[in-house]
Amino acid sequence: MILLLLILLGIATYFIVKRSVAGITTTPIWLLWLVMMAPPFVWTGWILAYGRNRPMPAALLLGVFFASLILYTFLIQKGRIQPQTKANETTNNSKTPETAKPADAEAPKVRPINKEEEAQLRDCFPWSVYYLQDLEYHPQAVICRGHLRTKSEEAYRTIRSNIQAKFGDRFLVIFQDSFTEHPFFALVPNPQAHPDVKRINANIDRPGLALALLLITLFTTTVIGTEIAGVTLKALQSDPSLLLKGLPYSLAIMTILGVHEMGHYLMAKRYKIRATLPYFIPIPFFLGTFGAFIQMRSPVPNRKALFDVGIAGPLAGFIVTIPLLIWGLANSSVVPLPERTGILQFDALIPNFSILLAILSKLALGSELTAKTAINLHPVAVAGYIGLIVTALNLMPVGQLDGGHIVHAMFGQKKAIAIGQLARLLLLFVSLMPILFQVTLIPRDFLLWALFLFLMPVYDEPALNDVTELDNKRDLFGLLSLALLLLIILPAPQFLIRLLN
């Protein structure tokens, strides 16, 4: 099991590192991956050599982790690609016919603005709306600095309309807060205006690919479902009809993941954001799938849209998860308390590490569940339980996770970055408590979550209008989503355990 988790972590780490830093550094991805995987390699080696019962020295545990982070940051900075260098590379590449179109499509360069166009641009900023003071020309943007004279939403709508009237679809107009507390406008090349990008976006929906991945994932999750249901591989080979026993788990987990992603997809469509259909990721082991995802191919218009798209997935998935989980728990069996358990030990799960799971388990199983028993999860309960974990992981307020989008929309980009850093450090501290202080209520598996979060950038892409704040209703729903996260990941306190017996 340990080696399987290490393999899964290694695969996920590679793709996260590649997606996060491939465009900002020349340092080889394989080297960055090796540095970030050094702590899991060392920790796994210790467990294999000395077993789980022998505690790892704190110096080794923390030293290898922080040394890895420092070296990872150093290697990124050493190979960092400067904006001017990237612009020069784009210019040089454009001289080669074979590479001209891809270079322009990926990193379109601002065309020079002559005196006449500069005068037109200044005319787009009415002094009563936004008092323009200065224009700054950068390789990939024109920064317009000044003072906001009216409501941010009205200012953005007015100035964007004026710029579109003068320049058409040449620029995307971004409105952002600055460190001086004076919001500024940025004009960046609109990649959607490029003919190649328009052609690609015209074929953004690929229902054939989405359907193929869905069917493959249905098969892989069904196979894993038979294992969860207690069907051995030998029995399955002799009687293929036993594969049907895997359908309850398969249909439940795919419903939860599919509804989650459809929540994002439908909300993106509501705001006219270009998005792909949900794509499932099949794997022939572990849970049978790595989940599902959609890709948004156009900018988010404002923080309201960012919030709605971000929260729609976890909310929709959670609404489906709860009834499936309760039904599955009610049909699960109670078993004697094992010597050791984990958050992925489905045949003997102790629910006390989660407040919400403890309450739902007691609600479903009643007096059968006591402090000296664990739960052998029904396959549908396994799917519902995984849905709960997926909801919690996505609600983590870090970077481009759903929770990161939510706190970004609620508090702004700068505060969201600080919240993300704090969340990562707190989860790391909590995950180390079982190792450093022998706290039994907190699963050791939380350390994997902490590693995943440290691999992710805390920076979230800004919305076009990243200044206008949310209304009170959305702020309330955002706080409730963070409260739900705490209910899922915090262990049940002793008074609650005694109350639930």
Side-chain angles (χ1 to χ4, degrees):
M1 187 64 175
I2 294 176
L3 293 178
L4 175 60
L5 291 176
L6 183 65
I7 292 172
L8 293 175
L9 178 64
I11 294 172
T13 299
Y14 178 81
F15 285 108
I16 292 173
V17 170
K18 184 177 181 180
R19 182 177 179 181
S20 302
V21 300
I24 64 174
T25 183
T26 58
T27 305
I29 298 299
W30 65 267
L31 180 58
L32 294 172
W33 174 84
L34 190 61
V35 169
M36 288 307 295
M37 285 299 295
F41 285 148
V42 172
W43 298 336
T44 301
W46 176 276
I47 292 173
L48 293 176
Y50 300 103
R52 287 177 174 266
N53 295 326
R54 181 172 177 178
M56 189 182 306
L60 177 61
L61 179 69
L62 298 178
V64 69
F65 181 80
F66 286 109
S68 173
L69 284 180
I70 293 171
L71 182 57
Y72 180 78
T73 305
F74 170 76
L75 290 174
I76 291 176
Q77 294 298 329
K78 184 177 180 180
R80 182 172 287 277
I81 302 172
Q82 298 300 325
Q84 186 63 47
T85 303
K86 292 171 71 176
N88 290 339
E89 289 176 356
T90 302
T91 305
N92 293 335
N93 289 341
S94 65
K95 297 178 182 179
T96 306
E98 292 79 7
T99 60
K101 288 185 178 180
D104 291 341
E106 292 175 5
K109 186 178 180 181
V110 174
R111 288 177 283 173
I113 295 181
N114 56 38
K115 293 294 184 181
E116 180 181 351
E117 289 175 327
E118 182 176 324
Q120 291 177 342
L121 179 58
R122 290 183 180 275
D123 290 340
C124 294
F125 292 84
W127 68 270
S128 59
V129 175
Y130 187 86
Y131 181 64
L132 183 64
Q133 291 180 307
D134 186 36
L135 294 178
E136 299 176 7
Y137 293 96
H138 296 267
Q140 293 297 314
V142 178
I143 307 297
C144 310
R145 299 189 184 276
H147 292 278
L148 183 65
R149 307 294 289 271
T150 187
K151 293 181 179 180
S152 57
E153 189 171 5
E154 179 184 346
Y156 179 76
R157 184 172 57 250
T158 300
I159 292 171
R160 183 187 62 180
S161 177
N162 292 342
I163 291 175
Q164 287 177 343
K166 297 285 187 181
F167 297 94
D169 64 349
R170 176 175 170 182
F171 297 111
L172 288 176
V173 182
I174 301 176
F175 193 26
Q176 278 190 274
D177 280 319
S178 68
F179 290 103
T180 61
E181 301 302 326
H182 293 296
F184 65 91
F185 284 86
L187 277 64
V188 299
N190 182 6
Q192 307 301 328
H194 194 281
D196 286 351
V197 177
K198 286 182 177 179
R199 176 177 52 80
I200 293 171
N201 284 335
N203 301 318
I204 191 173
D205 286 327
R206 303 171 68 183
L209 176 62
L211 179 60
L213 289 173
L214 184 146
L215 294 176
I216 295 171
T217 307
L218 179 63
F219 176 75
T220 56
T221 52
T222 301
V223 172
I224 298 300
T226 60
E227 295 180 14
I228 294 173
V231 178
T232 64
L233 181 60
K234 184 177 180 180
L236 183 60
Q237 290 174 342
S238 61
D239 185 4
S241 66
L242 292 175
L243 194 64
L244 295 176
K245 290 184 176 292
L247 281 178
Y249 165 78
S250 176
L251 295 177
I253 191 69
M254 292 191 67
T255 297
I256 292 170
L257 297 175
V259 169
H260 180 117
E261 293 306 324
M262 283 303 296
H264 290 312
Y265 177 79
L266 294 176
M267 193 60 69
K269 288 296 184 182
R270 176 187 173 189
Y271 284 101
K272 299 180 180 179
I273 300 171
R274 296 183 182 90
T276 65
L277 290 168
Y279 296 135
F280 284 88
I281 308 174
I283 55 173
F285 51 88
F286 194 42
L287 301 175
T289 177
F290 261 148
F293 69 96
I294 67 168
Q295 288 183 320
M296 293 191 292
R297 299 289 181 84
S298 60
V300 179
N302 48 54
R303 281 162 62 174
K304 173 184 172 182
L306 180 66
F307 180 89
D308 289 354
V309 173
I311 202 171
L315 180 60
F318 181 72
I319 291 173
V320 174
T321 295
I322 292 302
L324 288 173
L325 178 58
I326 293 176
W327 186 92
L329 287 170
N331 288 273
S332 299
S333 58
V334 174
V335 296
L337 192 68
E339 293 184 2
R340 180 174 294 276
T341 186
I343 63 174
L344 296 178
Q345 190 169 335
F346 304 137
D347 58 349
L349 182 71
I350 300 176
N352 292 348
F353 69 85
S354 166
I355 296 175
L356 182 59
L357 184 62
I359 294 173
L360 293 179
S361 299
K362 192 63 178 180
L363 177 65
L365 294 169
S367 59
E368 292 183 63
L369 183 64
T370 67
K372 296 183 179 180
T373 58
I375 308 172
N376 182 9
L377 294 178
H378 184 276
V380 173
V382 173
Y385 173 58
I386 294 300
L388 212 60
I389 294 176
V390 169
T391 299
L393 184 58
N394 277 280
L395 284 177
M396 288 289 178
V398 178
Q400 296 186 11
L401 292 174
D402 296 335
H405 295 325
I406 290 171
V407 295
H408 174 187
M410 291 174 63
F411 304 109
Q413 196 174 48
K414 291 184 294 183
K415 291 180 181 178
I417 291 174
I419 292 171
Q421 292 283 25
L422 180 61
R424 297 198 301 187
L425 291 172
L426 284 176
L427 186 63
L428 175 63
F429 175 74
V430 169
S431 66
L432 292 176
M433 288 178 67
I435 302 173
L436 297 177
F437 308 111
Q438 302 299 310
V439 178
T440 57
L441 277 178
I442 300 174
R444 294 171 179 258
D445 308 77
F446 274 13
L447 189 57
L448 291 176
W449 285 30
L451 290 174
F452 274 125
L453 294 186
F454 270 97
L455 289 170
M456 295 179 179
V458 292
Y459 177 83
D460 187 25
E461 292 293 330
L464 293 180
N465 178 4
D466 210 49
V467 177
T468 302
E469 298 180 352
L470 299 180
D471 52 68
N472 292 335
K473 181 179 70 174
R474 285 181 171 82
D475 282 334
L476 175 61
F477 274 101
L479 293 175
L480 290 176
S481 70
L482 296 178
L484 174 61
L485 168 64
L486 295 178
L487 283 175
I488 296 174
I489 67 171
L490 288 182
Q494 288 299 323
F495 81 87
L496 181 61
I497 294 175
R498 288 194 296 268
L499 180 64
L500 297 175
N501 191 25

